[in-house]
Amino acid sequence: MNILKRALSTLLNGFLAGITFGILPLVLWLLEKPLVGQMLLGTPDTRGQLNRLVYGLIWFLLCLTLVGFIVAAVWCVLGKEPLALQITNIIVK
């Protein structure tokens, strides 16, 4: 996976979520659509509303702390599947 594509996707999703006060991701979740960054850049995404909810909550919790954000960033630089996605796949089978 291209690190630049993942970084741009994350920045775009974060920016759009920020300027819409979280309404855009909520609407996309309710419509069962991927986030804008995933749609435009083709980065990894989960399938199903429950998986997307768990993924979003895990990503939010990771970014809530500096340590979690650094771990997720290092994970991305290593070129692995997103950490939140791996945790989601373990939790929701």
Side-chain angles (χ1 to χ4, degrees):
M1 166 106 300
N2 187 346
I3 296 170
L4 184 59
K5 278 176 64 174
R6 281 183 50 196
L8 287 173
S9 175
T10 300
L11 288 173
L12 179 62
N13 289 336
F15 175 74
L16 291 173
I19 64 170
T20 62
F21 301 103
I23 294 172
L24 179 63
L26 178 63
V27 169
L28 291 173
W29 177 73
L30 290 172
L31 296 174
E32 297 188 36
K33 300 287 184 191
L35 294 172
V36 176
Q38 277 94 2
M39 284 192 283
L40 293 177
L41 300 171
T43 54
D45 187 25
T46 61
R47 299 287 177 243
Q49 277 192 312
L50 177 63
N51 290 0
R52 285 196 176 114
L53 177 64
V54 172
Y55 175 80
L57 291 173
I58 291 170
W59 179 246
F60 177 73
L61 291 173
L62 281 172
C63 290
L64 201 61
T65 65
L66 182 60
V67 172
F69 183 76
I70 290 171
V71 167
V74 168
W75 206 265
C76 177
V77 170
L78 293 174
K80 297 182 178 183
E81 186 176 59
L83 182 59
L85 187 58
Q86 286 186 359
I87 295 171
T88 300
N89 290 337
I90 291 170
I91 293 173
V92 181
K93 293 183 181 187

